[in-house]
Amino acid sequence: MMLFLFSLMLLSALFAWRGWRHGTLVCLSILLILAAISFYDDITTHLAIAL
Amino acid sequence: MRTTDDITINKIDKLCNIFELVLVIAILFLSFAFQIIYHELPCPLCLFQRLGFFGIALGFLLNLRFGFRPSHYSVVILSALYTSFVALRQIALHIVPGTGSYGDPVFGFHLYTWSFIIAMVVLTTTTCLLSVDRQYKKSLYHLGHYFFKILVHGLFAVTVLLLGLNVISVYLECGFKACPENPTGYQQDK
């Protein structure tokens, strides 16, 4: 998952560099949602272990 | 119709954006240098923070490449919020005395504490920058010297290079699986 997130960030940076603004913003939106889900998943896993 | 005031505000905004971008790139470069020189492998939460900093850098780069827009600032603010949440979570993990820490301290604070402080600074300054209405004038969009364009492309090149190195490092550390909680070595070496 982490590799996918970093690859998506690289892709959006390349889109921005080449001048495709909308592609960059869409890519970044997907990335932020996926990163938030991964972080939430990390918290809930730790909480489940703690409880 | 653009006035001298508009042009001055545009220049100040560009300078502020470049300053914040260089700060974030320096942080990302230092964290990668720490990983290589001191063999301090990043934990999953550290990688999430790096991802947030790359998001901040990309927001500023969008501003410099396509002109100032509220949507670009929102990318910066959302990424800074995300970074601060992750950093706060990592601080909370080690806040109880005796629970240890992750990595060595730098200037008295651990890297995740610095990460939280810097995310908060970026959040505050970006919110102030966002509120300057005059920067969104379309007549100021193509304002820029040849040197400025070279600088923006240079900053893009550095960011993409750092991102590429991070992708390789994540592949070596985690592969296609979930990253280990306390990494001791690169998975691909084993």
Side-chain angles (χ1 to χ4, degrees):
Chain A
M1 186 66 172
M2 199 64 81
L3 187 65
F4 176 68
L5 290 175
F6 271 89
S7 306
L8 207 58
M9 183 62 88
L10 181 63
L11 192 70
S12 44
L14 287 172
F15 281 162
W17 199 3
R18 296 308 302 156
W20 192 24
R21 183 175 165 270
H22 288 104
T24 312
L25 288 176
V26 168
C27 232
L28 273 174
S29 308
I30 295 168
L31 177 70
L32 275 171
I33 292 165
L34 286 177
I37 291 169
S38 303
F39 177 50
Y40 176 76
D41 199 39
D42 185 78
I43 290 177
T44 45
T45 310
H46 275 95
L47 270 180
I49 293 165
L51 290 170
Chain B
M1 181 79 184
R2 63 186 188 216
T3 60
T4 319
D5 279 358
D6 288 342
I7 295 168
T8 313
I9 285 169
N10 188 270
K11 276 182 183 170
I12 292 170
D13 271 340
K14 269 181 185 168
L15 273 177
C16 290
N17 270 261
I18 290 171
F19 176 72
E20 282 197 75
L21 177 60
V22 169
L23 178 84
V24 172
I25 288 175
I27 290 160
L28 286 165
F29 178 77
L30 282 175
S31 65
F32 196 74
F34 258 69
Q35 181 184 339
I36 301 297
I37 298 166
Y38 297 109
H39 302 287
E40 269 190 22
L41 289 182
C43 56
L45 288 175
C46 311
L47 288 171
F48 281 138
Q49 285 165 59
R50 276 191 200 182
L51 208 62
F53 276 118
F54 274 117
I56 294 170
L58 212 55
F60 287 126
L61 280 170
L62 281 170
N63 259 342
L64 298 171
R65 179 84 169 81
F66 301 102
F68 299 111
R69 303 224 187 151
S71 56
H72 301 161
Y73 281 120
S74 80
V75 169
V76 176
I77 290 173
L78 281 172
S79 303
L81 263 177
Y82 179 75
T83 311
S84 63
F85 273 125
V86 178
L88 203 60
R89 157 85 184 139
Q90 201 169 5
I91 293 168
L93 274 177
H94 304 293
I95 204 161
V96 177
T99 48
S101 58
Y102 194 87
D104 293 325
V106 180
F107 300 123
F109 289 131
H110 288 278
L111 287 180
Y112 41 86
T113 314
W114 278 118
S115 177
F116 178 74
I117 294 167
I118 292 158
M120 280 294 132
V121 169
V122 169
L123 206 58
T124 314
T125 49
T126 309
T127 313
C128 293
L129 278 176
L130 176 75
S131 63
V132 183
D133 283 336
R134 281 192 188 180
Q135 66 184 314
Y136 304 120
K137 277 189 179 177
K138 281 202 169 175
S139 57
L140 300 168
Y141 179 69
H142 290 294
L143 215 70
H145 298 289
Y146 181 69
F147 170 73
F148 174 73
K149 281 171 187 163
I150 296 282
L151 180 72
V152 171
H153 280 291
L155 289 168
F156 256 112
V158 174
T159 311
V160 167
L161 180 73
L162 267 174
L163 253 171
L165 288 172
N166 270 283
V167 169
I168 295 167
S169 127
V170 168
Y171 172 70
L172 290 175
E173 190 187 327
C174 316
F176 293 101
K177 294 176 282 180
C179 294
E181 289 294 317
N182 281 310
T184 49
Y186 291 106
Q187 299 248 328
Q188 305 303 322
D189 292 343
K190 292 173 188 171

